[in-house]
Amino acid sequence: MPSGEIHGLLGPNGAGKTTLCKILSTVLLPTSGRAEICGYDVVTETAAVRRLIGIVFGGERGLYTRLTARANLEFWAALYGLHGADARRRVDALLERLGLERRADERVETYSRGMKQRLHLARGLIGDPRVLILDEPTIGMDPVAAEDFRWLVTSLRSEGRTILVTTHDMSEAEAICDRVTLIDNGTILATERPSTLGTWITRYARVRASALAPEQVAPVVAAVSEISGVADVREISPGTLLVDTAADGAAPAVLRRLLELGVTDVATTRPDLAEVYLRVIGNRGMRVDR
Amino acid sequence: MTTAILPRTAVAARSYARGVSAGLRRELRELRRSPDRLMALVTAPLLTLVFVAIMLNNGRDDLAPYAVLAPALLVLWQMALQTSGDTVEAERENGSLEALVAAPSSFPAVIAGRILAVTAVSMLGFAESWAVAALVGVRVAIVHPGVFVGALVVTAFATACSALALAALFVRTRAARAFQNTLTYPFYILGGVMVPVEFLPDWIEPLTRLVFLSWSSDLIRQSLLPGPVQGLAEHVVAIVLLGVVSCAIGGFLIRLALREVRESGTIGHA
């Protein structure tokens, strides 16, 4: 990863995203292979690596909930060698930056999930790290909190920090990452620009047509199946069809044809990551293994 | 070679001191907000009342030092076992162990700092016992104050060291509750907390000499009784030595446990 990049790590559950983050942050030892952070080996030069990184694990665990946010950060500041006025300045600055200053002296157990996640980020930044590792930082957040969090992460890039972020959410990866890597079973499948993800998402859009009369179903299935780029058409419940596309521009063509056939209750959905894996990565054959 | 080693040693020492200090301060803050972890201190006054009442009803005023000292030592060991012993496993259950391991300060140092804080707080049991006994008219004089204070200091050191070994043992075996339940009364007996070890069967005595509490309880008791203190140096050396051995075992086991969970990928398992 080049310095100053936000790099997304995408993959389904069990792909190895968290394991990679833990190896890079020296929490786990790799069974094989070698990884370096800013030129320091994560196995043999752990002390140097630990001074350079900040790590934020997703979810609500990991904070000392009976302490205040300020006390939590003061503890972590001490572990990173900050004391006295320096520690106070750093803690105050982070509390303000993350919007926690008004409730900084309240116990963390009274915080919402979004606030806890912001406190996690503040903890990750306490040592002023050059490399920040964020493991599913927005998991469980509501959309507004997640959007705020993404804005914060992108603002960190402008400070020259290098950020590795894992996520299940393709739109999140598109929004904040300079590049993304797809992994599965601990293996890198592909590294792409987020715009490529956008293409995948558009290409593999799914169209849902509902409220079809029983006599409409067969002709609509036949007509839609003829459209170039349509991979599959199936009736998932009486009067409801699901159309899978597999080519650029296929979804708009399906929508137009449905309207021509008098079907107006239609919707498009984006494929989730698992579907993209099955349909995009699965189809790339040898190319994805490079 | 020396120049290469010295800076690394200095860095490691600084990292260790930083960890101890941070762990100690955090633990004191947490204990202030966690009365449930201080329950042992609630039992000390009650136990003192029971022991003193038995003593008074039997007309054995001469046993006052025993009746007052026992609850304080019970609190000391109970907090070492329950509160300090849980420190590593609690970090694991809280989900903070991984971030602690990834921090630049020494993880065992943070745990040592936390245990020191718990041990310091558990010493309040002595003040409680003396105060409660005084409230019911039993005043236990400290005949040899220097020996008394010195004995408390080395006892606190050995307690903290033993707690470090216990914390490491609990996290390695994942059976903290079982150990916490079984390591209380045997240690009260072997430590001479309730009954001086010389009253126990002869065959048990060698075993009691491996438990720092037996030396501590004996020395503290002697500091409360008239007459010269017997074997002062021997007691102090034994307490410190047993503490150092426990500390070495605890530090080794914590590093070993960390290495194992880092290799096996189970570090975050709660």
Side-chain angles (χ1 to χ4, degrees):
Chain A
M1 278 174 61
S3 174
E5 177 178 278
I6 299 183
H7 195 105
L9 207 53
L10 283 167
N13 286 335
K17 305 185 296 291
T18 298
T19 301
L20 178 57
C21 286
K22 288 179 179 176
I23 288 171
L24 293 175
S25 56
T26 76
V27 172
L28 292 185
L29 294 167
T31 47
S32 62
R34 181 179 157 83
E36 287 183 355
I37 301 252
C38 301
Y40 294 105
D41 189 288
V42 298
V43 175
T44 58
E45 295 169 293
T46 50
V49 170
R50 287 171 183 170
R51 282 194 294 272
L52 289 168
I53 61 165
I55 182 151
V56 177
F57 295 111
E60 295 185 56
R61 296 174 70 225
L63 298 168
Y64 302 110
T65 55
R66 292 189 182 185
L67 298 182
T68 64
R70 190 185 302 282
N72 267 273
L73 291 180
E74 283 172 356
F75 169 66
W76 290 102
L79 296 189
Y80 281 81
L82 290 168
H83 293 287
D86 288 343
R88 280 195 295 277
R89 263 196 300 275
R90 182 94 187 124
V91 168
D92 285 344
L94 283 170
L95 287 169
E96 190 182 344
R97 177 171 194 176
L98 286 250
L100 295 170
E101 75 274 25
R102 287 188 184 171
R103 295 188 59 187
D105 297 310
E106 292 178 26
R107 288 188 191 198
V108 173
E109 62 194 357
T110 65
Y111 280 22
S112 68
R113 187 183 286 251
M115 290 169 72
K116 285 178 182 168
Q117 204 53 33
R118 276 186 276 161
L119 183 56
H120 267 303
L121 183 58
R123 184 186 55 70
L125 291 168
I126 198 82
D128 196 17
R130 278 171 61 189
V131 177
L132 191 61
I133 299 169
L134 308 173
D135 187 17
E136 300 194 16
T138 56
I139 193 165
M141 278 191 190
D142 65 54
V144 175
E147 190 53 38
D148 282 350
F149 196 85
R150 286 176 201 134
W151 181 84
L152 278 168
V153 172
T154 48
S155 73
L156 294 171
R157 172 177 38 199
S158 59
E159 296 168 5
R161 301 183 206 277
T162 307
I163 300 168
L164 179 70
V165 57
T166 76
T167 181
H168 282 292
D169 186 345
M170 296 186 78
S171 56
E172 179 170 277
E174 275 185 280
I176 63 172
C177 296
D178 300 306
R179 285 189 308 155
V180 292
T181 290
L182 283 86
I183 67 167
D184 197 14
N185 277 328
T187 307
I188 292 177
L189 300 174
T191 297
E192 303 280 3
R193 300 225 156 257
S195 55
T196 310
L197 283 180
T199 310
W200 291 344
I201 289 167
T202 311
R203 183 181 300 162
Y204 292 95
R206 179 177 274 174
V207 180
R208 184 188 181 97
S210 306
L212 275 75
E215 63 276 13
Q216 271 184 301
V217 172
V220 168
V221 169
V224 171
S225 299
E226 288 173 1
I227 298 170
S228 169
V230 170
D232 185 38
V233 184
R234 60 189 183 280
E235 188 175 18
I236 55 169
S237 62
T240 302
L241 297 179
L242 202 60
V243 183
D244 288 335
T245 67
D248 292 336
V254 170
L255 289 171
R256 278 195 298 274
R257 191 79 184 100
L258 286 170
L259 290 171
E260 286 165 11
L261 293 167
V263 181
T264 53
D265 191 348
V266 292
T268 57
T269 56
R270 291 153 70 98
D272 62 24
L273 188 57
E275 288 171 311
V276 170
Y277 263 68
L278 283 172
R279 299 176 60 191
V280 179
I281 304 300
N283 290 341
R284 288 170 65 108
M286 294 301 289
R287 283 185 296 143
V288 298
D289 291 332
R290 275 189 294 151
Chain B
M1 191 173 171
T2 311
T3 50
I5 290 169
L6 272 180
R8 287 186 66 178
T9 311
V11 168
R14 226 177 17 240
S15 157
Y16 202 86
R18 211 162 54 204
V20 170
S21 159
L24 190 138
R25 278 179 292 147
R26 196 198 98 205
E27 187 63 35
L28 288 175
R29 279 174 157 168
E30 283 202 323
L31 284 175
R32 222 171 48 204
R33 292 158 187 258
S34 312
D36 51 305
R37 298 177 64 212
L38 299 170
M39 286 310 288
L41 286 173
V42 176
T43 62
L46 302 174
L47 287 170
T48 309
L49 280 177
V50 171
F51 293 152
V52 168
I54 293 170
M55 177 200 88
L56 292 174
N57 279 326
N58 287 283
R60 293 294 303 273
D61 292 10
D62 58 312
L63 293 179
Y66 295 80
V68 174
L69 186 58
L73 291 174
L74 289 175
V75 169
L76 194 69
W77 184 246
Q78 204 177 336
M79 284 189 69
L81 204 57
Q82 307 284 347
T83 312
S84 297
D86 262 347
T87 46
V88 182
E89 194 62 17
E91 296 286 4
R92 193 177 194 167
E93 286 173 3
N94 187 49
S96 41
L97 183 57
E98 290 155 326
L100 279 176
V101 169
S105 288
S106 156
F107 172 71
V110 174
I111 296 301
R114 291 187 59 196
I115 287 173
L116 279 175
V118 173
T119 307
V121 170
S122 69
M123 300 300 277
L124 290 174
F126 285 89
E128 283 184 314
S129 297
W130 255 258
V132 169
L135 281 176
V136 293
V138 175
R139 296 186 190 279
V140 178
I142 299 169
V143 181
H144 306 282
V147 175
F148 180 78
V149 171
L152 287 192
V153 170
V154 289
T155 298
F157 167 76
T159 304
C161 293
S162 301
L164 187 71
L166 290 170
L169 179 73
F170 294 170
V171 79
R172 269 182 66 75
T173 56
R174 310 292 305 269
R177 298 291 170 268
F179 279 111
Q180 285 167 340
N181 289 332
T182 52
L183 291 180
T184 47
Y185 280 97
F187 269 73
Y188 297 156
I189 302 299
L190 293 175
V193 173
M194 320 264 281
V195 181
V197 290
E198 59 264 24
F199 293 171
L200 299 174
D202 289 346
W203 61 268
I204 290 185
E205 200 183 336
L207 210 56
T208 64
R209 291 303 164 204
L210 297 175
V211 179
F212 81 89
L213 268 177
S214 71
W215 298 94
S216 291
S217 58
D218 193 32
L219 188 58
I220 299 171
R221 241 180 244 124
Q222 285 198 60
S223 74
L224 305 176
L225 298 170
V229 175
Q230 305 288 329
L232 174 62
E234 182 193 1
H235 281 78
V236 170
V237 168
I239 296 167
V240 171
L241 200 64
L242 287 167
V244 168
V245 170
S246 297
C247 192
I249 292 172
F252 171 74
L253 286 180
I254 284 185
R255 285 187 174 83
L256 191 66
L258 267 185
R259 178 90 195 171
E260 282 175 359
V261 293
R262 285 179 70 207
E263 279 174 350
S264 63
T266 57
I267 192 165
H269 290 190

